[in-house]
Amino acid sequence: MVNPFRATLVLGTPGSGKSYCVINQFIKQQIAKGYALYCYDFKYPDLSTIVYNHLLQNRDKYAGDVRFYVINFDDPRRSHRCNPINPAFMSDIADAYESAYVILLNLNKTWIQKQGDFFVESPIILLAAIIWYLKIFDGGRYCTFPHAIELLNKPYSDVFTILTSYRELENYLSPFMDAWKGGAMEQLQGQIASAKIPLSRMISPSLYWIMSGDDFTLDINNPEQPKVLCVGNNPDRQNIYSAALGLYNARIVKLVNRKGKLKSSILVDEVPTIYFRGLDTLIATARSNKVAVCLGAQDFSQLVRDYGEKEARDPERHRQHLFRTGRGRNREEPLGTLRQGAPAAQVRQYDERGHFHQHQHPAGLPDTRLQDIQPLTGDVRGKRIGQFRRDHQAENIPRPDHGGQCRGGGRDEGVQTDTRHHGLHGRGRPGPYAGGNRA
C-alpha cells in the first residue's frame, strides 16, 4: 500500500482472517513507523495485546515520550480513566449537542434512520442542555457523563427551573417549557422518558468511575504527548458499552483531524457494532492531516442494517483501498478468482475420442490456470508475504493503580510486577504504559 492515508476498508466473512491477515499487519507496521494510534478492540484484549507488545518493541520510533492507555469497562482495575466531555474541549453548545447525539443514537440505533423526528430530537436537545449547563456551572467542575445522567433523573420541575435560569439555555429548552406551561403533560413526559429510559441502562459503577477521571486527554496525535489508545468492548454488553465508546470515538475524530499534528491511525475493526459519527467526514478530509483510517466489517449488509442505506454507503464511496477475505462480493464467488476484464471467450476442446466441443468460458483465467498459481512468498516493499511468524512471547497488558505505578502479580496473573520492565528488552527505560496523571 503506497498511501495509507487514503482510507482502507477490510471486508470478510467470520473466520476468513481479516483481522489476522490485514488489521494486525496495519497495527504492527504503523507502530513500527511511529504512528499515534487509536484502536477499537471489539473482542478485548485480542488487538490490544498486539498493540501493547509492538509498542514495547518500537518505542524508540517515536519522537516524543509515547504513552499507552486502555479503556476497559469490564475491569476498571486494568483501565485508565478519561472524561469524554471534558469542558476544556467544548467551546460551543454545538459540541454538547454532538455528544448527546452520539450517546443516544448508540443506545437506540433505530434512531439513526429517524433523525429529525420529534421524539428523537427532543431527548437529544434535553441531554445537550444538561451537558452544557454542567460545562458553564462552576467552571465545568462537574462536567462529566455520570453527573449528566444523575441530573437528568432528578424531578423535571427542578431541572427545568435550574436550566432556564441561564439565558443561553432558555431558548434552547423552549419546546419543553411550552409543553409544561401549556399543560401538555403527556407530551412532556414522553419527551423526558425518551432520554431517561435509554440512559438508565448506563448507570454502572464501572462506567461512572472510568468516565469521570482525567488520566489523559483524547488528543492522541499531540506532538508533545503522543499516545497509543486502545478501547475495549464486550460482545455480551455491546449495547451498553457502545454508547460510551461511541462518545470517545466522536471526540477523537474531531481532535485528530487538525493541522500541525503527528501522523496517526484510526483502526476500527467490526465497525457495525458501534455508531461512529463523523466517519464519512474523517475519511474524506483527514488525508491532508496525515490520519490513516482502517475499517473492518463482515459485509455491507451489516452497515446497512445498523447505519441505514445512506450512511452505510459513505465508507464504500470514500475509501481508496479495499481488502476482501474469505468469499467475494456475493458470497458465491471465492476471493482470489482472477479477472482480467476480458469478455467471455469461445473455448474449443477435443476429448479423448476426438470429438469437438465448444462452450462459453467466463471472463478471466480458466480454472486450470488458477491451479498452477503458487502461493506468493517473498519480500514486497520490505514486508514478508506468505509467512506469519511469532518471534517472541506476548506480554500481557499491565494494570495501572492510578497512583503512579503498575502493580500486580507475575505473567500468570496477567500483569507485570515492575514498571522498569516495560522498556525495550530490559534496557531499563520507563515504559509507555502510563497510570494516574502522568500524561
Side-chain angles (χ1 to χ4, degrees), residues 318-362:
H318 294 298
R319 59 88 184 150
Q320 298 295 327
H321 305 105
L322 175 64
F323 292 88
R324 288 184 180 273
T325 60
R327 292 285 173 178
R329 183 180 299 271
N330 56 9
R331 296 197 178 192
E332 299 294 335
E333 170 190 335
L335 183 74
T337 300
L338 301 183
R339 303 288 181 184
Q340 294 182 327
Q346 295 285 345
V347 179
R348 299 182 178 184
Q349 296 178 341
Y350 289 89
D351 59 17
E352 296 177 356
R353 298 180 181 180
H355 295 166
F356 173 76
H357 300 277
Q358 179 173 324
H359 62 275
Q360 290 287 116
H361 196 281

Side-chain angles (χ1 to χ4, degrees), residues 123-135:
I124 296 175
I125 291 291
L126 178 57
L127 182 58
I130 289 176
I131 292 175
W132 188 249
Y133 162 75
L134 293 173
K135 194 267 182 189

Side-chain angles (χ1 to χ4, degrees), residues 169-231:
L169 293 176
E170 186 176 0
N171 293 332
Y172 207 70
L173 293 171
S174 60
F176 296 90
M177 298 304 297
D178 291 343
W180 186 17
K181 295 178 180 179
M185 303 309 296
E186 292 185 0
Q187 173 186 319
L188 182 62
Q189 292 288 356
Q191 291 174 285
I192 298 173
S194 297
K196 283 186 175 182
I197 292 174
L199 286 171
S200 63
R201 302 204 305 263
M202 298 187 66
I203 299 176
S204 165
S206 61
L207 267 68
Y208 276 22
W209 167 254
I210 292 173
M211 299 183 74
S212 60
D214 288 307
D215 290 349
F216 66 99
T217 57
L218 295 174
D219 53 340
I220 61 172
N221 56 350
N222 186 338
E224 298 179 0
Q225 296 179 344
K227 305 175 183 70
V228 172
L229 172 62
C230 293
V231 297

Side-chain angles (χ1 to χ4, degrees), residues 269-289:
D269 196 6
E270 303 295 347
V271 67
T273 62
I274 192 169
Y275 178 65
F276 208 129
R277 177 169 171 79
L279 188 58
D280 55 339
T281 304
L282 178 69
I283 293 174
T285 63
R287 182 175 59 86
S288 60
N289 294 329

Side-chain angles (χ1 to χ4, degrees), residues 60-77:
D60 57 337
K61 304 299 192 302
Y62 292 82
D65 184 17
V66 62
R67 299 295 180 93
F68 178 80
Y69 296 96
V70 169
I71 297 294
N72 176 19
F73 294 120
D74 279 338
D75 189 356
R77 297 174 302 170

Side-chain angles (χ1 to χ4, degrees), residues 267-317:
L267 289 166
V268 184
D269 196 6
E270 303 295 347
V271 67
T273 62
I274 192 169
Y275 178 65
F276 208 129
R277 177 169 171 79
L279 188 58
D280 55 339
T281 304
L282 178 69
I283 293 174
T285 63
R287 182 175 59 86
S288 60
N289 294 329
K290 296 184 178 180
V291 180
V293 181
C294 180
L295 309 176
Q298 294 182 13
D299 53 42
F300 283 115
S301 63
Q302 280 189 317
L303 291 170
V304 173
R305 180 194 64 196
D306 294 327
Y307 280 71
E309 182 70 26
K310 182 179 178 180
E311 293 196 33
R313 294 300 173 184
D314 288 335
E316 181 187 18
R317 185 165 55 250

